[in-house]
Amino acid sequence: MDIPLILLSIGVLAVILSFFIGNKTRAMDDELEAVSISLHQEMSNLKKRVRLLEEELMVASPTSEPIAPAPQKTIHAIIVNQIISLHKQGYTVPEIAKRASLSEKEVTDVLHSKGVRLS
């Protein structure tokens, strides 16, 4: 009879202690959740800033070299930057025309307007 009474008292003592110990872990969980939320918000803000910077870099064109429009229609600065970039990467005029959805003549006109000599 002694053993069941000892086990019962240990069980009651464990339940009482769990109330006091549980508060410490709850506080730590709340603090961890707050840090996680703030980290997520900061990452979201940084992603927005990077996206804005990337858009500015894609839209920005060099001020020293004006963009010459094609005879039929004007070509946006982003497309011009894409054409120059693809040419520097070694793509041929037909490949660039296909990727930029332009005619080969428009691509060569853009490259010539930027001072690029085709061989």
Side-chain angles (χ1 to χ4, degrees):
M1 288 286 259
D2 262 349
I3 293 177
L5 188 59
I6 292 173
L7 289 176
L8 180 64
S9 62
I10 290 174
V12 169
L13 184 63
V15 168
I16 293 171
L17 285 175
S18 70
F19 287 113
F20 296 110
I21 294 174
N23 291 341
K24 291 179 184 177
T25 57
R26 238 180 252 132
M28 292 175 80
D29 287 343
D30 291 343
E31 186 178 340
L32 180 63
E33 185 176 342
V35 169
S36 175
I37 289 171
S38 68
L39 180 64
H40 178 69
Q41 289 172 344
E42 289 179 25
M43 287 296 292
S44 177
N45 287 338
L46 284 174
K47 286 180 182 179
K48 287 178 186 176
R49 288 181 184 174
V50 167
R51 196 175 315 122
L52 287 173
L53 285 173
E54 286 175 345
E55 288 175 3
E56 286 179 13
L57 287 174
M58 290 298 291
V59 171
S61 63
T63 56
S64 62
E65 300 177 22
I67 299 172
Q72 295 131 357
K73 62 181 181 178
T74 58
I75 299 175
H76 198 276
I78 294 174
I79 304 291
V80 172
N81 288 337
Q82 179 187 17
I83 291 170
I84 301 298
S85 175
L86 290 172
H87 180 38
K88 286 181 181 178
Q89 293 174 18
Y91 286 91
T92 63
V93 172
E95 291 172 333
I96 296 171
K98 185 176 179 182
R99 287 178 179 258
S101 300
L102 298 171
S103 68
E104 291 181 23
K105 182 179 181 336
E106 290 172 322
V107 171
T108 54
D109 289 345
V110 169
L111 290 173
H112 286 303
S113 71
K114 289 298 185 177
V116 176
R117 300 289 173 228
L118 300 174
S119 52

